[in-house]
Amino acid sequence: QSFRERIKVIADWWRDLHAKRTQLKAHVERSGRTVQEHEESRIQALKINSKQKEEKMKKDGELLRAKMELETLRKNHQKLCKKVQKYSIFKKYLEDVVKVSRFEDISEVTSRYKLLVRTQKDLLQSQQGHKQLTEQDKVFLEQYKAEKETEMLQYKNELMQLKLRFDQAQSEIPLWEAHWADIQNRTSKKTGKLWTIKLAIHNNLFQ
């Protein structure tokens, strides 16, 4: 009886243990699903957070670009306002000019001004072209002068050589004159001898 009671107690304990084991297993499974759900939720939250950060950075960049464009537009607006102010003053000045001049309206004044500007531009281009031609002429003149100076130097060298030859020839003239006089003297002597021989021959022939 005692053994049976102990067996019954052990069987009851085993059933309780098996039930607790089943409950624990179910709890672990539920906990695992909960942890997985939490992990998935955390990953999803990280993705959403990363996407939100990326969108925030993108919006911040767009906002920065918009601020820069706004600053550029503001500066351009200030410049345009200053130009408009200057142009309004200039318009008032042109109106006063029209009043005291022979022009009928401002458009005629501006047309005349544009014509004068074009004329001045054409004159400047013409002067620049004339200046370029003058510079080219100067270059050609310098080249021509250099060529002629080279030719003159060559002619001077040739003239010096001819002068040297002339001087040498003049220095040889007395020698050639003396030689010629000697030739003439010898010729006259030979001619005298020849006449003497001719006379002797004629005399002999006559005798």
Side-chain angles (χ1 to χ4, degrees):
Q1 186 67 28
S2 176
F3 178 75
R4 288 179 181 175
E5 289 178 358
R6 288 178 62 190
I7 292 297
K8 184 179 179 182
V9 169
I10 290 171
D12 294 337
W13 179 77
W14 181 256
R15 283 194 301 271
D16 293 338
L17 181 62
H18 184 69
K20 289 180 179 180
R21 182 180 178 183
T22 303
Q23 293 176 359
L24 182 60
K25 185 177 180 181
H27 179 70
V28 168
E29 289 177 356
R30 287 195 301 270
S31 298
R33 287 194 299 270
T34 304
V35 169
Q36 185 176 1
E37 290 175 358
H38 287 171
E39 185 66 19
E40 291 177 355
S41 299
R42 188 179 68 83
I43 293 172
Q44 188 69 23
L46 289 175
K47 289 181 179 179
I48 294 172
N49 189 17
S50 177
K51 188 174 182 180
Q52 288 177 352
K53 286 183 179 180
E54 185 178 355
E55 291 179 354
K56 185 176 181 301
M57 290 176 64
K58 186 177 180 180
K59 289 181 179 180
D60 290 339
E62 293 177 354
L63 181 61
L64 181 61
R65 286 193 296 272
K67 287 182 178 180
M68 293 174 65
E69 291 178 359
L70 181 62
E71 183 65 20
T72 303
L73 291 174
R74 187 180 64 80
K75 291 180 180 179
N76 292 331
H77 182 263
Q78 290 179 353
K79 291 180 180 179
L80 291 174
C81 287
K82 291 180 180 179
K83 287 185 178 181
V84 168
Q85 186 177 1
K86 291 181 181 179
Y87 290 155
S88 62
I89 297 172
F90 185 65
K91 181 181 179 183
K92 181 66 171 58
Y93 171 75
L94 290 178
E95 290 175 352
D96 295 335
V97 170
V98 170
K99 289 179 182 179
V100 297
S101 65
R102 60 183 177 82
F103 297 105
E104 295 182 358
D105 53 11
I106 295 176
S107 61
E108 188 176 355
V109 177
T110 55
S111 298
R112 181 62 179 275
Y113 172 74
K114 290 178 180 179
L115 177 62
L116 292 174
V117 170
R118 287 196 299 270
T119 304
Q120 184 182 11
K121 185 177 180 181
D122 294 337
L123 288 174
L124 289 175
Q125 290 179 352
S126 178
Q127 289 178 358
Q128 187 176 3
H130 180 68
K131 184 178 179 181
Q132 290 178 354
L133 290 175
T134 304
E135 291 178 353
Q136 290 179 357
D137 293 338
K138 287 182 180 179
V139 172
F140 292 151
L141 180 60
E142 293 295 330
Q143 292 178 353
Y144 180 77
K145 286 173 66 177
E147 292 176 358
K148 293 305 176 183
E149 287 177 357
T150 304
E151 291 180 0
M152 287 177 64
L153 183 61
Q154 184 178 358
Y155 292 151
K156 285 181 180 180
N157 292 330
E158 293 179 357
L159 183 61
M160 288 179 65
Q161 292 177 1
L162 291 173
K163 188 176 180 181
L164 290 174
R165 292 172 63 183
F166 179 73
D167 293 338
Q168 184 178 0
Q170 280 187 338
S171 64
E172 293 177 354
I173 285 175
L175 179 62
W176 287 105
E177 286 179 350
H179 186 61
W180 176 249
D182 184 53
I183 291 172
Q184 285 182 342
N185 189 15
R186 285 186 292 176
T187 301
S188 63
K189 288 181 179 180
K190 289 181 179 180
T191 303
K193 291 179 179 181
L194 182 61
W195 279 105
T196 303
I197 293 170
K198 282 183 178 182
L199 287 174
I201 291 172
H202 286 294
N203 192 12
N204 289 327
L205 290 173
F206 178 76
Q207 289 178 0

